[in-house]
Amino acid sequence: MSHGDETTIDADEPLDVGMLGYRFMGKAHSNALARLPMFFPDAPEVRRHTLIGRDEDALAEAADRFGFERTSTDWREVVDEVDAFYNLGPNHLHVEPSKAALEAGTHVLCEKPLAPTLEGAGELRDAAAASDAVAGCAFNYRFVPAIRYAKRLIDDGSLGEIRHVSGRYYQDWLSDPEAPWAWRMDEELAGSGALGDVGAHTLDLIGFLVNDHTGGIERLSGHLTTFTEERPVPGGDERRPVTVDDAYSAQAEFENGAMGTFEASRVAEGHKNDHSIGIHGTDGSIRFSLERMNELEVMAGDARGYETVLVTDESDPYVEAWWPPGHVLGWEHTFVHENYEFLTAVAEGGEFSPSFGEAYEVQRLLDAVQRSDESGEWVEV
Amino acid sequence: MSHGDETTIDADEPLDVGMLGYRFMGKAHSNALARLPMFFPDAPEVRRHTLIGRDEDALAEAADRFGFERTSTDWREVVDEVDAFYNLGPNHLHVEPSKAALEAGTHVLCEKPLAPTLEGAGELRDAAAASDAVAGCAFNYRFVPAIRYAKRLIDDGSLGEIRHVSGRYYQDWLSDPEAPWAWRMDEELAGSGALGDVGAHTLDLIGFLVNDHTGGIERLSGHLTTFTEERPVPGGDERRPVTVDDAYSAQAEFENGAMGTFEASRVAEGHKNDHSIGIHGTDGSIRFSLERMNELEVMAGDARGYETVLVTDESDPYVEAWWPPGHVLGWEHTFVHENYEFLTAVAEGGEFSPSFGEAYEVQRLLDAVQRSDESGEWVEV
Amino acid sequence: MSHGDETTIDADEPLDVGMLGYRFMGKAHSNALARLPMFFPDAPEVRRHTLIGRDEDALAEAADRFGFERTSTDWREVVDEVDAFYNLGPNHLHVEPSKAALEAGTHVLCEKPLAPTLEGAGELRDAAAASDAVAGCAFNYRFVPAIRYAKRLIDDGSLGEIRHVSGRYYQDWLSDPEAPWAWRMDEELAGSGALGDVGAHTLDLIGFLVNDHTGGIERLSGHLTTFTEERPVPGGDERRPVTVDDAYSAQAEFENGAMGTFEASRVAEGHKNDHSIGIHGTDGSIRFSLERMNELEVMAGDARGYETVLVTDESDPYVEAWWPPGHVLGWEHTFVHENYEFLTAVAEGGEFSPSFGEAYEVQRLLDAVQRSDESGEWVEV
Amino acid sequence: MSHGDETTIDADEPLDVGMLGYRFMGKAHSNALARLPMFFPDAPEVRRHTLIGRDEDALAEAADRFGFERTSTDWREVVDEVDAFYNLGPNHLHVEPSKAALEAGTHVLCEKPLAPTLEGAGELRDAAAASDAVAGCAFNYRFVPAIRYAKRLIDDGSLGEIRHVSGRYYQDWLSDPEAPWAWRMDEELAGSGALGDVGAHTLDLIGFLVNDHTGGIERLSGHLTTFTEERPVPGGDERRPVTVDDAYSAQAEFENGAMGTFEASRVAEGHKNDHSIGIHGTDGSIRFSLERMNELEVMAGDARGYETVLVTDESDPYVEAWWPPGHVLGWEHTFVHENYEFLTAVAEGGEFSPSFGEAYEVQRLLDAVQRSDESGEWVEV
């Protein structure tokens, strides 16, 4: 559809999506867009309009595979040509294009973390506040049915007052010191390492689940470590320095007095994508592990132990759209749910959560961890 | 593409698929077809040609949603108009249309069990043998990466000589005696109950995994039970008899002396889709549970206990096409893999396994369980 | 205490226990006797009176270690000298000494299975019926707190009507074909193999848990297999035939229509002492595994999945005698509970369960499995 | 035996043990002493000489039950009358009696934590250094077979260089705000709360496992929280303030750069005695959970995931003394192993670990957590 600087959407026309990035996240979001019509028929119709990247050959191939009509090597040409701009580039490319899109009145879905720095994240938050467009940050784990179900339990008081919150995200792809250098290991390009890459997921998810009940994290103490100081650049003899953390830990105090402990690592041998959450209240507890994402462990009411709930019933969040009970979903389904919510917000002029404002709050936590690590002191958030 | 009675495929034209059935299995296979281009770009191109059913309104809506170009209420008009015929109808509709398709030289992918009776299955096996077309039976659990990985281990001898084989498929959707009557509870329409519906999956999977090493099941003793004798027909006061089993069990002896125990139930409270397999050999053991389908438990080599392997590495079967390690797949992915293999066989003139011949062997086991239940004696298979 | 042929006990004197057998079971029961005063102070006082065996040196050493005052190489001299006779010998020594003891009015605790044959078990049942003495069979797993807790749940109706019952007992100590021959592999001495040794535990436990609600097993079909036909005798070149089963399976129908599946093996690689029980009713299910014997998995009431209950609360069966919640018990504690119940029955003139009558019922099931295996047909129990 | 101020033991006489405390720990150690002869026949012979406490009636009853020959209400009279003094009193009674015993040349086994304060612990360390007596601190979890097995793996390099260490000890006995006040909630009597009571176990265990490979904790940042400020005193209307922590967390850096995260709580709803340890190195990882204390999860060598090892084989630490493979041990067995080691050291003039010196190092960590909590800064240990 043609598109001006207003955010009004013509309901008879499909939404045009421009997408920056065509690797891991590009594939995940393209797949989500492709799957919506069959499973969420009330989702707005979408045209995969333009795929944006630098390498023309790879881009052309990706566009063909992901179902995009056009390609572009310059996001500037795209951000005001489409209805929604998906910013799936490396972290250092989050700020400028997303801001430009918002200023053009184009809706934005930006990958996490919102920016490499708190300053950049602030710019985006402000740009979103100044725009009528929907500005969402793609913390996809909010869209796991089991997480939504956990939120229901917490919100209805099943856990009582929250006292302990923990989150650990273990991966091992950098366990080998000879694993190659990549942009995710560079402070300029990524902002931080395990902290911003996967720790951001933890901190967002925790906020999503308990902020309404705890008042959020008030102060924290953080710790960053880099085990391997430099890594080989693929295709040559060069070794480049690793300027971000391989792992972080943090302890926190919430406004209501609840305690939090957080940790992530890229060198935790034997763990591929092991994101675990635990929340303990005066009346109950829940545990979640991403590698068993269809399950939620629930201890509440008169229970004497954790109940392993397979969150695949029709009545569970998002599940009705898919398969009968016990027919499990996968990681990619979180993107379908996320895109459904984002596009619906775009089409109906509604809100999308997590917004840039919420993502900025996550960034404040990332920044606080870094500041605390530098000062060796607890910092107020 | 235009299509004659020979099975030659024009590689420049997409394969035309006609699909009988548009509910649960229709959705699963349509989704699989839709997803192939993005994830398996070397899969043959497919045109969702005609969707077949009886209720024209529902059919039209489904065709729109599933991406079919046309609809038909008569499979006879379709089976020789398409390159491949997907028979996803109730069991009593498996034989006649699949046979007609094969006789027309059309490739067939037929849902399991192959037929309501051994006689019907025999007709299909013979029709497949007489045809050059590919004739596959859609036992989708063969296409779980963890199951393929298990087969690798068994085939490379990691488990030694097989001694114990077990399979249990527990569901609970008929636990409530007032759960409504459906065709799956009628012997004429379904052939059998838990036995043919989910027990067939177990028996096929076991055969897939160990037949090469055990010589297959030589004799068995079976038991069928119906707990609820009649059930309410939706939308009225009628109650209709349940003429199939709610549950079966069987014990078996394999040609090499290995023992087998098998069981399925539709009334196992608390179990949604709990298909568990265990295989124990002289040198090791494996366990698999469908509700945690990304995992395989492996005890082999010097191990002292079961190792929980997350079968999501690039080197694992089918995984490279999807996401990085630890990003789990779901139930539906099995259909994508299955369709990929079937369509590739169609396009390249290859073999597809499980073939109608293999599915007939499963049917012989189903039949043997029923005969044994009637006679109270062990029966040779 | 001096002891005549009446069963009256002098409450001021300790109970004199004579014990036949001083290896595995001798150690387990001696330990139980030794621990009672500290943990169950209301248990009758016991004097470890005479330890009986054949090898005088080994016997003397064991008596010293197990706290027995005397030894004897002839059980005939002991059975009427003591208040209670513990028959912990090999199965073929169960009948004659236990019968003699009962005929002398001496209370008997006999290890399981009650006898190598149904005929022998019948003799013991009759002898017990004709005696005023307490005659108990040492199926110790009835005394696991989690099993008692399971029985509470079943008895209070938490599971509704029972429909599926399963039990599997996997060990692997005979996995190696060169594992040495022992009396447990000889039909004359043992009666049967995995069936009577560990399968008896399963069948007793199932009866304990569900017989009141199912009417017990009405008919069954059994299967026995021996994988290794002969084994080396330790300390020489001799190989002796294995004349019992390495593994059994059985399927059963209970009087109320419930289905049962049972299995045991001594060659299930990777399983040390893995006794698993599952019971599924119209309203709930439970699962138990001996290797995690402090836990019971419970699915009941409004639960959506299995709750992992740590059965270590003060209110749990037998637990108050021991440690605070979460301080787990071990395998041997089952013997302490069993001895507490047996000796209390002896001292107070009460009943002990499992009685010889109950153990005879288990033997009927063992016999039925063997008969069915021979005939290839279901047999009435 | 009569006993002067030298620590020489007469090997022909049993060791006389005096024990201060007759509740939870008194029962655990008395049981351990009682069980040694049957299971560890090479352990020194022990006479349970004198039980010490304040309440004469309760003391007399306990002495009778625990098998002590005498009682005393004054530890001063006992510490130089016995060969070994077991100090199982509340924390505030650890220093003076233990010191007096050491000064009298009496061997001491003192419960953990060594003292309520670092100062007190320093006195004990110094007293132990000045004495020839064995001075051990009863961190019993070092004597879990699975923990010893873990140490073997770590020591033989199976995990490579250690990078991540974590420990969490969750209980819920104070989850209820009306749970009664006890000495464990008073700073004067206990020193600290969850930190010293169970956190001390974690920190000792971690040190035991990894200090040789990491150089130990170099600096840490701690956090303490009290959720319930006062609690009812049993038997009246009084409420007394809670002056210790309900929960602590800490993050740490080891000398080799490894990261540590630690946490404990008495209000973690649903967790009874849930002590979990995780250690991750460059080549492998292990996980342990006290509520499944017979198991160790091991990821090492070529493994793709954690292997659940049942640490009950004859070749496993301490297991040969007990039962065959798969016959699990309980919590109390750790005390038997601990007493075996302590008494053997006493009898043979050897070393016992953990010594007072090692326990002092744990106390330095407890103190560092408290100091860090007060200052809000990382502290050097």
Side-chain angles (χ1 to χ4, degrees), chain C residues 360-380:
Chain C
Y360 176 79
E361 294 304 312
V362 173
Q363 202 85 28
R364 288 179 62 210
L365 297 173
L366 302 179
D367 183 70
V369 171
Q370 288 178 305
R371 285 190 291 128
S372 171
D373 177 63
E374 282 157 25
S375 71
E377 298 182 11
W378 284 70
V379 300
E380 305 294 316

Side-chain angles (χ1 to χ4, degrees), chain C residues 24 27-28 31 35 38-39 41 48 65 273 291-292 295 310 321-324 326-328 330-333, chain D residues 24 27-28 31 35 38-39 41 65 272-273 291-292 295 310 321-324 326-328 330-333:
Chain C
F24 182 21
K27 190 177 175 186
N31 175 52
R35 306 191 66 195
M38 199 179 288
F39 293 91
R48 281 164 265 169
R65 188 159 169 185
N273 198 30
E291 290 178 351
R292 289 179 176 169
E295 301 176 11
L310 196 61
W322 300 103
W323 313 106
H327 294 71
V328 298
W331 171 82
E332 69 188 55
H333 292 79
Chain D
F24 182 20
K27 191 178 176 185
N31 175 54
R35 305 191 65 193
M38 199 178 287
F39 293 90
R65 190 160 168 185
K272 295 303 169 196
N273 198 31
E291 290 178 351
R292 289 180 175 168
E295 302 175 9
L310 196 60
W322 300 103
W323 314 107
H327 294 71
V328 297
W331 170 82
E332 68 189 54
H333 293 79

Side-chain angles (χ1 to χ4, degrees), chain B residues 149-166:
Chain B
Y149 180 68
K151 185 162 169 57
R152 279 190 198 168
L153 293 175
I154 294 167
D155 287 351
D156 74 16
S158 296
L159 272 55
E161 192 181 346
I162 306 302
R163 284 174 161 180
H164 290 291
V165 169
S166 61

Side-chain angles (χ1 to χ4, degrees), chain B residues 172 175-176 265 267-271, chain C residues 154 157-165 210 214 256 258 278-286 299-300 306:
Chain B
D172 67 1
S175 197
D176 179 356
S265 175
V267 302
E269 188 66 12
H271 298 255
Chain C
I154 293 167
S158 296
L159 271 54
E161 191 180 348
I162 305 304
R163 284 176 162 179
H164 290 291
V165 169
V210 307
T214 59
N256 77 333
I279 298 177
H280 305 267
T282 47
D283 296 337
S285 300
I286 59 119
M299 217 293 302
Y306 285 90

Side-chain angles (χ1 to χ4, degrees), chain D residues 63-355:
Chain D
D64 182 54
R65 190 160 168 185
F66 295 166
F68 278 83
E69 298 179 354
R70 311 178 209 171
T71 63
S72 169
T73 55
D74 186 356
W75 55 263
R76 287 175 185 79
E77 294 173 357
V78 181
V79 291
D80 61 355
E81 284 299 307
V82 294
D83 298 305
F85 173 64
Y86 279 43
N87 190 337
L88 316 178
N91 302 354
H92 69 103
L93 283 183
H94 285 184
V95 179
E96 196 183 356
S98 295
K99 197 172 160 187
L102 288 171
E103 286 168 359
T106 300
H107 307 283
V108 176
L109 184 62
C110 182
E111 265 303 326
K112 38 55 59 185
L114 190 53
T117 62
L118 183 58
E119 189 189 357
E123 285 182 52
L124 286 180
R125 178 200 53 182
D126 295 344
S131 168
D132 289 334
V134 176
C137 189
F139 284 109
N140 63 304
Y141 295 138
R142 288 199 185 194
F143 302 91
V144 174
I147 289 292
R148 294 265 156 170
Y149 181 67
K151 184 161 170 57
R152 278 189 198 168
L153 294 174
I154 294 168
D155 287 350
D156 75 14
S158 296
L159 272 55
E161 190 180 348
I162 306 303
R163 285 175 160 178
H164 290 290
V165 168
S166 61
R168 178 183 285 167
Y169 206 138
Y170 273 178
Q171 300 182 329
D172 67 2
W173 58 289
L174 291 185
S175 198
D176 179 356
E178 293 302 306
W181 188 91
W183 70 264
R184 289 176 192 275
M185 296 151 219
D186 184 279
E187 189 178 11
E188 291 296 311
L189 305 179
S192 64
L195 173 63
D197 188 18
V198 294
H201 273 304
T202 306
L203 295 169
D204 176 69
L205 213 47
I206 291 299
F208 174 62
L209 291 170
V210 307
N211 271 8
D212 291 349
H213 308 279
T214 58
I217 291 176
E218 199 170 62
R219 59 190 196 100
L220 61 75
S221 162
H223 182 206
L224 301 174
T225 296
T226 306
F227 293 105
T228 302
E229 298 292 343
E230 60 175 28
R231 290 183 177 274
V233 179
D237 292 339
E238 192 194 352
R239 300 184 81 81
R240 215 171 282 176
V242 173
T243 51
V244 299
D245 54 290
D246 285 331
Y248 90 99
S249 68
Q251 50 195 349
E253 187 168 287
F254 289 77
E255 198 181 305
N256 77 333
M259 294 177 73
T261 60
F262 307 106
E263 190 181 2
S265 176
R266 292 166 163 176
V267 302
E269 188 66 12
H271 298 255
K272 295 303 169 196
N273 198 31
D274 186 5
H275 191 190
S276 299
I277 297 285
I279 298 176
H280 306 267
T282 47
D283 296 336
S285 300
I286 60 119
R287 290 190 298 210
F288 171 77
S289 175
L290 182 61
E291 290 178 351
R292 289 180 175 168
M293 58 170 272
N294 291 275
E295 302 175 9
L296 187 72
E297 291 186 273
V298 179
M299 217 292 304
D302 295 331
R304 294 188 51 184
Y306 284 91
E307 181 187 324
T308 303
V309 177
L310 196 60
V311 188
T312 59
D313 281 359
E314 275 197 9
S315 58
D316 288 319
Y318 301 118
V319 176
E320 193 180 7
W322 300 103
W323 314 107
H327 294 71
V328 297
L329 300 183
W331 170 82
E332 68 189 54
H333 293 79
T334 60
F335 287 82
V336 184
H337 306 157
E338 180 178 63
N339 275 268
Y340 172 69
E341 300 288 3
F342 175 73
L343 294 166
T344 300
V346 165
E348 299 180 357
E351 301 280 323
F352 175 78
S353 176
S355 67

